[in-house]
């Protein structure tokens, strides 16, 4: 449970540095807006006042402040106790956490060249700061004293878990190594941090740099009207008005592969998508991947593990690579047979149409859609009108209300980092405040692919007050067009429910300590709440609650 590393490198909070949003004044010197808790409704980030110039000084001040806090704990002359060591450690770094949760969200949802450059500058500093904490022998000795003899401490189950998690984090961070090993580990961590950033930056550039521009209407054969309209909007935004543009965001490339009759264009778009980072250009990731793999192996072996997988899985439910392979092989036997059966069916369809070619990966979606219509008379385009994005979100809220008694109220007084973001207050059945929930659902050039949940602030009890979380969901779902609202595919509907399951995990957190809050659980267990939630999406009784035609209001048949 390396909480500081997770916060500084893994936070996926969101913000914007769009100057048009800076409607209010900043508070004094650069960075000072982060120096205290935000004086805003529910303590939400004041996106209308945060400037890009605030981040660097806030990070530096945050690291300096936490360093002083750590030194005070490590050099405390009193005997180590749970309160003066474990709790003090858990509560340290609040300024650094505050700025990290905001800044690193930008790296995920609204990045630009300045943000990426600053992240690269901060990367070695944050890596060193994290190592300075987890390789601090005085601090570890205090933790070890508590860990090795809990007699008479009367720790609760939660307190024991927190103490044990910190102890394991120090051990897994290399505190037991000799000095030469620690120095090498520090260098490995710095390199891994920089390489991981570079990998993500390259991937985003590859995603944004590619466009399939169509200027011949005949090349749109087979595409639904909504897909064509979205491509026309994309072309207009790209300065190609009168043409059609398809890119590597999922709502663009997937329906093209699913419906386009132009096999050569399907192949072109497919290869552009799946060859990202493998084009022998300035964004190539092959060497970066090789370096990351080798550094991970070296780090794992330095820490006494055979492989990186052994190191990672030790803290997950699976525990060992052997257990993972056992499960995968059990699934593989059935999955491979089914995949071969489906491939044979698709090949028959190709042959029946006179196609003189063997099924390729860029054909799969197209012929699977045809087969689905033939066998089941199921056309996903006919289903999408029943899944207007706003209705799907309302369906998610309704399920949460019926299952857990939660209520959602839209707020218009909370600063947001982008006009498309919406904010809700979440209250319990008795009306008490539980959380703030942000939604950000549409693709943008500065946003990573995929969908995720995280928080601008985690839940914990501090000074006797239950600090409630600020949780958000981010996605890349089908945009509205000039003539239709956002109409989601079945996959997108399932993803909305899935990510909301993660959001519930954060919203309903009710622990004392930040280090155990929300989704601070094994990485394979973290998918359980989301899997449970997504299974409600297409239950008949649930569909009746939200799946209504956006024009007629008719419930899905």
């Amino acid at each position: 449970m390396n909480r500081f590393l997770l916060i500084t490198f893994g936070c996926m909070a969101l913000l914007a540095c769009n100057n048009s949003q800076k409607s209010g004044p900043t508070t004094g010197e650069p960075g000072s807006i982060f120096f205290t808790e935000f004086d805003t409704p529910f303590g939400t980030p004041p996106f209308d006042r945060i400037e890009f110039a605030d981040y660097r000084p806030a990070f530096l001040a945050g690291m300096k402040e936490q360093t002083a806090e750590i030194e005070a704990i490590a050099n405390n002359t009193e005997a180590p106790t749970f309160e003066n060591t474990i709790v003090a450690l858990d509560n340290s770094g609040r300024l650094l956490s505050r700025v990290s949760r905001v800044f690193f969200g930008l790296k995920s949802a609204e990045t630009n060249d300045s943000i990426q450059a600053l992240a690269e500058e901060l990367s070695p500093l944050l890596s060193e700061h994290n190592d300075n904490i987890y390789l601090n022998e005085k601090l570890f000795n205090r933790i070890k004293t508590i860990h090795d003899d809990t007699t008479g401490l009367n720790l609760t189950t939660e307190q024991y878990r927190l103490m044990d998690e910190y102890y394991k984090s120090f051990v897994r961070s290399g505190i037991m190594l000799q000095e030469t090993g620690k120095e090498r580990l520090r260098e490995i961590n710095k390199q891994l941090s920089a390489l991981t950033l570079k990998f993500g930056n390259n991937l985003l550039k590859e995603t944004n740099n590619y466009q399939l521009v169509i200027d011949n209407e005949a090349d749109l054969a087979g595409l639904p009207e909504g897909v064509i309209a979205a491509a026309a909007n994309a072309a207009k935004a790209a300065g190609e008005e009168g043409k059609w543009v398809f890119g590597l965001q999922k709502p663009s490339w997937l329906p093209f592969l699913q419906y386009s009759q132009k096999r050569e264009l399907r192949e072109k778009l497919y290869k552009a998508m799946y060859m990202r980072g493998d084009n022998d250009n300035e964004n190539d990731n092959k060497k970066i991947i090789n370096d990351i793999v080798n550094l991970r192996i070296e780090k794992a072996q330095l820490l006494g593990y055979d492989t990186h997988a052994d190191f990672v899985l030790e803290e997950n439910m699976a525990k060992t690579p052997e257990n993972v392979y056992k499960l995968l092989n059990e699934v593989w036997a059935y999955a491979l047979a089914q995949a071969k059966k489906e491939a044979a069916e698709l090949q028959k369809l190709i042959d029946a149409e006179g196609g003189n070619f063997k099924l390729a990966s860029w054909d799969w979606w197209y012929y699977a859609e045809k087969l689905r219509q033939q066998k089941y008379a199921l056309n996903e385009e006919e289903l999408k009108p029943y899944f207007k994005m706003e209705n799907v979100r309302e369906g998610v809220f309704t399920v949460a209300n019926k299952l857990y008694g939660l209520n959602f109220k839209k707020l218009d007084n909370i600063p947001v980092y982008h006009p498309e973001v919406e904010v809700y207050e979440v209250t319990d059945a008795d009306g008490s405040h539980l959380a703030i929930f942000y939604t950000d659902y549409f693709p943008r050039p500065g946003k990573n692919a995929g969908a995720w949940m995280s928080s601008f602030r985690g839940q914990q009890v501090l000074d006797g007050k239950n600090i409630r979380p600020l949780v958000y969901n981010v996605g890349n779902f089908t945009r509205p067009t000039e003539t239709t609202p956002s109409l989601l595919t079945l996959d997108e509907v399932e993803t909305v429910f899935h990510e909301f399951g993660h959001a519930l995990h954060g919203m309903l957190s009710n622990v004392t300590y930040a280090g155990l809050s929300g989704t601070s659980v094994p990485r394979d267990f973290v998918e359980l709440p989301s899997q449970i939630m997504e299974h409600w999406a297409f239950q008949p009784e649930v569909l009746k609650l939200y799946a209504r035609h956006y024009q007629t209001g008719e419930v899905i048949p």
Side-chain angles (χ1 to χ4, degrees):
M1 183 205 59
N2 198 326
R3 184 168 69 89
F4 308 115
L5 186 62
L6 286 174
I7 288 172
T8 54
F9 293 105
C11 278
M12 301 177 81
L14 298 169
L15 68 138
C17 61
N18 183 338
N19 289 332
S20 65
Q21 295 183 347
K22 308 301 183 287
S23 59
T26 56
T27 55
E29 63 181 296
S32 60
I33 196 166
F34 289 105
F35 289 178
T36 59
E37 297 294 336
F38 300 132
D39 184 18
T40 54
F42 304 102
T44 53
F47 291 113
D48 54 344
R49 290 184 285 130
I50 294 173
E51 300 281 355
F52 174 74
D54 289 316
Y55 296 118
R56 188 178 187 277
F59 269 107
L60 296 179
M63 286 185 277
K64 181 179 180 181
E65 178 181 279
Q66 189 175 27
T67 296
E69 292 167 341
I70 295 300
E71 287 303 308
I73 300 168
N75 294 317
N76 191 342
T77 57
E78 297 179 2
T81 66
F82 181 80
E83 288 293 329
N84 71 18
T85 302
I86 305 300
V87 174
L89 174 60
D90 195 58
N91 287 338
S92 71
R94 291 169 63 188
L95 167 55
L96 183 58
S97 173
R98 195 177 303 123
V99 64
S100 294
R101 286 178 181 271
V102 173
F103 176 82
F104 280 104
L106 185 57
K107 277 288 294 138
S108 300
E110 192 70 11
T111 195
N112 57 37
D113 291 343
S114 297
I115 292 298
Q116 291 179 357
L118 180 56
E120 291 178 7
E121 177 189 345
L122 291 170
S123 172
L125 302 179
L126 291 169
S127 177
E128 181 179 11
H129 176 72
N130 187 77
D131 285 334
N132 287 343
I133 294 173
Y134 283 89
L135 296 176
N136 186 315
E137 292 192 10
K138 287 184 178 180
L139 178 58
F140 176 68
N141 287 337
R142 293 180 67 86
I143 295 171
K144 188 174 186 299
T145 297
I146 300 168
H147 178 270
D148 289 352
D149 185 8
T150 58
T151 305
L153 294 181
N154 296 319
L155 299 181
T156 66
T157 301
E158 182 184 9
Q159 290 171 336
Y160 185 88
R161 178 173 174 80
L162 183 72
M163 178 273 298
D164 189 55
E165 289 296 309
Y166 272 119
Y167 177 83
K168 289 188 295 185
S169 289
F170 273 77
V171 173
R172 288 170 55 81
S173 296
I175 192 66
M176 300 293 196
L177 296 176
Q178 299 297 319
E179 283 305 311
T180 54
K182 289 178 181 177
E183 287 306 310
R184 178 55 187 156
L185 186 62
R186 285 176 179 270
E187 182 58 32
I188 290 173
N189 288 339
K190 285 182 180 179
Q191 291 182 48
L192 283 173
S193 176
L195 288 167
T196 302
L197 276 175
K198 183 65 174 175
F199 178 92
N201 291 344
N202 286 349
L203 186 61
L204 185 60
K205 288 175 183 176
E206 290 276 273
T207 300
N208 289 335
N209 288 349
Y210 180 83
Q211 291 181 340
L212 174 63
V213 180
I214 292 178
D215 55 12
N216 183 353
E217 192 168 0
D219 287 336
L220 302 174
L223 297 177
E225 290 183 9
V227 174
I228 294 173
N233 286 346
K236 185 177 180 180
E240 298 279 0
E241 191 164 4
K243 300 178 183 179
W244 299 268
V245 167
F246 294 88
L248 300 184
Q249 295 286 357
K250 193 172 184 180
S252 182
W253 67 261
L254 183 55
F256 191 92
L257 293 178
Q258 193 172 359
Y259 295 107
S260 173
Q261 296 176 8
K262 299 295 182 177
R263 187 171 190 254
E264 69 281 4
L265 294 181
R266 294 202 308 269
E267 178 182 1
K268 189 175 182 180
L269 189 57
Y270 176 91
K271 287 183 174 179
M273 175 64 189
Y274 286 97
M275 291 294 287
R276 290 177 301 165
D278 189 16
N279 292 304
D280 296 321
N281 57 17
E282 66 275 12
N283 299 322
D284 197 273
N285 273 333
K286 290 192 290 294
K287 185 178 185 305
I288 291 175
I289 292 172
N290 186 68
D291 290 344
I292 288 174
V293 168
N294 286 324
L295 286 168
R296 284 177 170 180
I297 293 171
E298 183 182 356
K299 178 177 178 177
Q301 293 179 348
L302 187 62
L303 293 170
Y305 299 86
D306 290 336
T307 68
H308 175 69
D310 286 286
F311 172 68
V312 171
L313 290 170
E314 181 184 58
E315 287 299 285
N316 288 333
M317 295 192 301
K319 296 303 180 187
T320 67
E322 291 74 22
N323 288 338
V324 173
Y325 281 120
K326 181 176 182 294
L327 175 61
L328 290 177
N329 287 330
E330 288 173 355
V331 173
W332 178 249
Y334 297 98
L336 181 60
Q338 183 63 28
K340 288 181 176 180
K341 177 183 176 182
E342 292 176 3
E345 286 187 284
L346 299 182
Q347 187 64 55
K348 285 182 181 179
L349 192 56
I350 292 171
D351 296 341
E353 292 184 349
N356 187 25
F357 57 86
K358 185 178 180 180
L359 176 72
S361 48
W362 49 87
D363 299 315
W364 195 282
W365 281 281
Y366 178 71
Y367 286 100
E369 179 64 25
K370 280 197 164 191
L371 188 63
R372 186 183 300 118
Q373 293 185 33
Q374 282 189 10
K375 294 180 70 172
Y376 309 110
L378 180 61
N379 184 339
E380 189 168 25
E381 279 300 303
E382 295 177 358
L383 297 178
K384 287 176 65 177
Y386 292 93
F387 296 108
K388 180 182 174 182
M389 185 276 289
E390 291 81 0
N391 290 347
V392 174
R393 180 171 53 194
E394 190 60 34
V396 165
F397 290 169
T398 301
V399 170
N401 174 265
K402 290 184 176 294
L403 290 177
Y404 310 113
L406 305 185
N407 297 290
F408 299 82
K409 177 184 177 182
K410 192 173 186 301
L411 301 177
D412 297 318
N413 64 332
I414 304 297
V416 294
Y417 55 86
H418 191 278
E420 292 173 344
V421 176
E422 296 188 11
V423 186
Y424 297 83
E425 181 187 7
V426 186
T427 55
D428 210 341
D430 61 3
S432 59
H433 175 77
L434 277 180
I436 293 296
F437 179 53
Y438 298 75
T439 63
D440 177 15
Y441 283 153
F442 302 124
R444 293 188 296 273
K447 183 188 287 189
N448 287 346
W452 60 90
M453 163 270 174
S454 193
S455 61
F456 295 126
R457 182 181 69 204
Q459 180 270 329
Q460 70 177 121
V461 175
L462 195 61
D463 299 327
K465 182 180 179 181
N466 193 337
I467 307 297
R468 299 309 305 170
L470 311 174
V471 176
Y472 58 85
N473 276 168
V474 181
N476 284 276
F477 304 129
T478 301
R479 276 191 168 278
T481 68
E482 294 176 356
T483 57
T484 61
S486 170
L487 302 177
L488 304 186
T489 65
L490 297 180
D491 178 67
E492 289 174 330
V493 171
E494 186 175 70
T495 301
V496 172
F497 273 77
H498 178 100
E499 293 305 328
F500 187 76
H502 287 305
L504 284 175
H505 195 169
M507 292 177 197
L508 299 178
S509 177
N510 189 26
V511 300
T512 305
Y513 306 105
L516 301 177
S517 177
T519 56
S520 299
V521 296
R523 303 318 294 168
D524 41 6
F525 176 82
V526 82
E527 293 301 322
L528 179 62
S530 53
Q531 292 286 328
I532 290 173
M533 192 66 192
E534 76 176 50
H535 284 304
W536 287 105
F538 302 121
Q539 293 297 314
E541 62 269 36
V542 174
L543 284 171
K544 292 176 182 177
L545 298 174
Y546 75 91
R548 300 183 300 275
H549 197 284
Y550 79 97
Q551 290 175 315
T552 67
E554 174 194 10
V555 175
I556 193 168

